[in-house]
Amino acid sequence: MMKTQTNRNTFDAIVVGSGISGGWAAKELTEGGLKTLVLERGADKEFKTSSNNPWDFKYRNHLTKEELKERPVQSSHCDAGNKDFYVNDKEHPYIQEKPFKWIRGYQVGGRSLTWGRLSYRLADIDFKANKIDGHGVDWPIRYADLEKWYDYVEEYVGVSGSLEGLEHVPDGVFLPPIPMNAVEKHLKESVSKKYTDRVIINGRVANLTQYKKGRGRCMYRNLCSRGCPYSGYFNSNTSTLVDANNSGKLTLRENSIVKEVLYDKDSAKAVGVTIIDTVTKKEMNYYARIIFLNASTIGTASILLNSVSETFPNGLGNSSLQIGHNLMDHIVNEGTYGTFNGLLDKYYKGRSPGTIYIPRFQNLGYDTQTNDFVRGYGIQGKGERENWQSKPTTGFGAELKTQLETPGKWKISLGGRGEVLPYYENKISLDKNNLDQWGLPLVKVHFEYGANEKAMMEHMTQASEEMLRKAGFENVGSYRTSPDPGSAVHEMGTARMGNDPKTSVLNKHNQMHDVKNVFITDGSCMTSSACQNPSLTYMALTARACSYAIEQFKSNIL
């Protein structure tokens, strides 16, 4: 196999995927001196609608009936303004054995263009959780192993936030926080007076509040998911891939679906990948000494399961039979809401991306112990004035116009995000009897919540309603139906890290136990999900793993 290599398709490193972790791998490896090929299954797309007004869209930013038919899954997360950053479900089908939303974006930058940008560190309580309560295997690292990499990533990304001194949501390297508005401050003061187990802090979000290295500060336009012309929020396209390209070591190949990773049993290493060009439909091989898989949790697992050989008949590096299993997401409740009859002389400027955050306040110690569930959840929230679209109006003519121009009451919404345990039964697999347009097996997803998650959802709803009522909010209520799993778009855990090769796929360096020159640093590496938004952790793990891989490469170990 190695004899077929040519200079043209041989690199020091290959990175599969250009999203939030793939972009970081590209940056770190190229700046480390490695000639690196990044393979992206989608194309590079312009930010065509980034400055459009609602009236610039024929149907006022709504999807058409035909577009809704083409996107039965993605349509819950996209609109006419950002639809190009979400796949067409008809063109990219998968099989839901149980309802599960697989939200995807096939383009250069992947889902880094549409992510929620909330950025919280995991804490030691999260890295120790599996060992303490016995759900899942123990993480092979602790917070101390990742702390300096969180610092490194936050400094580069630009995360706005406030220092709070909370052990279970560690502080980081922050830009000035996005200020809370009047009703958010009111709720914060109420919670601090009426509860001893919880606080409200500024949301930590990867939107710039200061100029940073060629990127402008956030303009408070609330159009992030269309791509930002000011580079006001972090994504691969305007940050990591730019620096990777500036290194002179980057080759980015678009329209390249990775079919499989090639394995050489004599060297016991992966030697490259086979791709399918989505334009020419031709297959080609590319070779490298190091391979980083960053195709997203489900994408990476499907590549591994499709990479069968005499040595690994169940998929590359799958001697543990754990690949595809332990799929996690975060549980979300639809939300709790209320209105506030006061502070009517207060308002705000712009459409701030800022939020409030109520960090986890359950099962942190004896005083916060609950028998209802293990682990915990945090609550995100946003306050604003009712506007012409959301407040009741009557009449017509000048009277109606005046009503529409006058802000209504303050309102607030809260939404919980809770940890999902790593159940072996929650998994992805490949259906080799059903193939996609590229001839690749369709992905099957089998996922459902357990009793722990259902108890947590009810708890977060009741707690949210109670906080609002105690703060004097009126018309308090909750959406009692939870969206389908996958709605948080936080898939994790199909190739988990662990100490034991018999029960895990990756070691403490995100290196496959079975194939040492393959690294995996997207969500699939996660051993548990915690309740924090996970992308910051993916980036820190990627930077750490790249540092190790570069060292191994330059020492000729890999």
Side-chain angles (χ1 to χ4, degrees):
M1 185 177 295
M2 296 291 286
K3 293 178 182 177
T4 64
Q5 293 190 26
T6 67
N7 287 333
R8 188 176 179 185
N9 60 1
T10 301
F11 297 81
D12 297 329
I14 291 173
V15 177
V16 180
S18 64
I20 211 154
S21 65
W24 265 95
K27 171 186 175 298
E28 295 300 296
L29 294 172
T30 54
E31 291 183 342
L34 273 61
K35 181 184 168 189
T36 301
L37 171 67
V38 173
L39 295 168
E40 168 53 53
R41 67 176 293 158
D44 193 8
K45 297 177 182 175
E46 296 179 9
F47 299 168
K48 292 188 296 186
T49 61
S50 62
S51 296
N52 281 16
N53 296 299
W55 50 87
D56 294 324
F57 298 94
K58 185 174 181 180
Y59 299 105
R60 302 296 185 262
N61 209 24
H62 293 292
L63 295 172
T64 66
K65 289 183 178 179
E66 184 60 31
E67 288 169 337
L68 288 170
K69 286 181 183 176
E70 293 172 342
R71 296 170 174 79
V73 177
Q74 314 298 313
S75 58
S76 63
H77 286 65
C78 69
D79 54 34
N82 59 23
K83 65 183 180 182
D84 288 345
F85 295 150
Y86 293 81
V87 302
N88 180 316
D89 292 310
K90 276 191 174 179
E91 295 176 356
H92 303 281
Y94 67 105
I95 300 168
Q96 302 178 62
E97 293 188 332
K98 299 278 186 179
F100 186 91
K101 289 185 178 181
W102 186 14
I103 305 299
R104 292 165 285 167
Y106 292 159
Q107 61 269 331
V108 173
R111 294 188 300 193
S112 78
L113 292 176
T114 57
W115 70 305
R117 308 173 307 286
L118 292 169
S119 302
Y120 302 97
R121 297 184 179 199
L122 269 61
D124 242 358
I125 192 173
D126 301 307
F127 288 108
K128 293 177 179 176
N130 284 9
K131 183 176 182 179
I132 290 173
D133 63 30
H135 294 282
V137 300
D138 190 17
W139 279 84
I141 61 173
R142 294 290 185 259
Y143 177 68
D145 297 305
L146 208 54
E147 183 175 10
K148 75 172 185 180
W149 297 104
Y150 276 129
D151 289 348
Y152 176 65
V153 166
E154 286 165 343
E155 171 64 31
Y156 180 85
V157 166
V159 178
S160 61
S162 54
L163 301 176
E164 301 289 345
L166 301 172
E167 186 177 355
H168 58 293
V169 189
D171 290 333
V173 181
F174 297 141
L175 299 174
I178 295 174
M180 296 182 192
N181 60 37
V183 80
E184 292 167 346
K185 288 178 182 175
H186 167 76
L187 182 60
K188 174 183 171 69
E189 290 169 3
S190 171
V191 167
S192 69
K193 291 177 182 175
K194 296 175 179 174
Y195 294 91
T196 59
D197 62 349
R198 68 199 72 171
V199 295
I200 293 184
I201 68 174
N202 297 83
R204 296 170 180 174
V205 59
N207 286 72
L208 297 183
T209 51
Q210 291 178 343
Y211 173 88
K212 179 179 274 294
K213 195 187 174 186
R215 297 168 53 203
R217 62 188 295 274
C218 176
M219 304 298 285
Y220 288 15
R221 304 181 324 134
N222 193 26
L223 297 175
C224 302
S225 66
R226 300 180 193 173
C228 181
Y230 309 100
S231 306
Y233 76 95
F234 175 80
N235 58 71
S236 298
N237 305 51
T238 58
S239 300
T240 47
L241 292 178
V242 173
D243 283 340
N245 189 54
N246 290 341
S247 73
K249 297 286 187 179
L250 175 70
T251 299
L252 173 61
R253 194 183 198 287
E254 306 167 31
N255 304 311
S256 304
I257 297 176
V258 172
K259 176 183 177 183
E260 61 181 328
V261 179
L262 304 171
Y263 179 76
D264 180 67
K265 66 178 182 180
D266 294 331
S267 64
K269 291 180 180 176
V271 294
V273 299
T274 298
I275 71 153
I276 301 170
D277 187 300
T278 62
V279 177
T280 66
K281 316 293 185 188
K282 291 182 179 177
E283 291 190 9
M284 285 169 276
N285 291 345
Y286 289 91
Y287 303 95
R289 283 168 54 188
I290 291 174
I291 296 172
F292 269 71
L293 293 180
N294 300 88
S296 82
T297 294
I298 295 176
T300 287
S302 64
I303 290 171
L304 292 170
L305 291 173
N306 201 45
S307 303
V308 296
S309 63
E310 181 181 346
T311 306
F312 296 111
N314 297 307
L316 184 74
N318 196 18
S319 63
S320 66
L321 299 179
Q322 293 293 323
I323 292 177
H325 294 269
N326 314 299
L327 177 64
M328 299 171 282
D329 188 37
H330 281 142
I331 57 168
V332 298
N333 67 336
E334 270 295 352
T336 298
Y337 50 83
T339 59
F340 188 72
N341 192 22
L343 302 170
L344 296 179
D345 60 333
K346 306 292 184 185
Y347 200 66
Y348 44 82
K349 290 184 179 179
R351 304 182 184 96
S352 162
T355 66
I356 55 172
Y357 187 56
I358 306 172
R360 172 181 164 181
F361 52 89
Q362 323 84 32
N363 297 323
L364 297 173
Y366 178 78
D367 292 342
T368 57
Q369 203 71 30
T370 174
N371 294 323
D372 296 337
F373 52 85
V374 298
R375 315 285 174 102
Y377 62 86
I379 298 174
Q380 300 166 9
K382 182 80 175 174
E384 58 187 350
R385 294 286 292 271
E386 292 178 323
N387 60 26
W388 65 273
Q389 292 176 304
S390 57
K391 70 172 187 174
T393 52
T394 57
F396 59 91
E399 180 187 356
L400 175 61
K401 185 176 180 181
T402 300
Q403 289 184 52
L404 294 174
E405 291 176 338
T406 304
K409 292 181 180 179
W410 284 97
K411 63 179 183 178
I412 203 161
S413 58
L414 301 176
R417 299 287 184 275
E419 180 162 1
V420 171
L421 298 175
Y423 302 109
Y424 183 82
E425 296 76 17
N426 285 343
K427 65 178 182 179
I428 75 116
S429 58
L430 300 181
D431 186 342
K432 297 188 177 181
N433 295 317
N434 285 296
L435 307 180
D436 65 12
Q437 60 180 308
W438 318 110
L440 297 175
L442 292 190
V443 169
K444 290 192 295 186
V445 182
H446 179 98
F447 187 99
E448 57 186 340
Y449 295 136
N452 199 69
E453 289 74 30
K454 292 174 182 174
M456 197 183 291
M457 280 190 279
E458 181 59 28
H459 195 279
M460 65 174 60
T461 298
Q462 291 182 8
S464 298
E465 290 182 356
E466 181 188 86
M467 282 186 283
L468 292 187
R469 290 195 175 99
K470 284 189 174 183
F473 283 81
E474 301 173 338
N475 305 311
V476 174
S478 296
Y479 302 101
R480 291 287 175 179
T481 55
S482 181
D484 288 341
S487 295
V489 202
H490 291 167
E491 315 96 71
M492 292 174 263
T494 53
R496 66 186 180 188
M497 298 171 71
N499 291 307
D500 188 350
K502 293 180 181 176
T503 59
S504 60
V505 179
L506 307 172
N507 67 15
K508 64 181 179 181
H509 300 295
N510 292 78
Q511 188 178 25
M512 294 194 88
H513 288 300
D514 292 338
V515 189
K516 298 297 187 188
N517 65 332
V518 175
F519 294 80
I520 300 173
T521 62
D522 58 21
S524 54
C525 74
M526 298 290 280
T527 312
S528 65
S529 70
C531 65
Q532 297 91 323
N533 302 60
S535 294
L536 183 70
T537 298
Y538 304 164
M539 292 188 268
L541 287 168
T542 302
R544 179 175 179 270
C546 285
S547 175
Y548 177 78
I550 292 168
E551 178 186 302
Q552 296 280 298
F553 179 89
K554 292 184 175 177
S555 299
N556 286 320
I557 297 172
L558 293 179

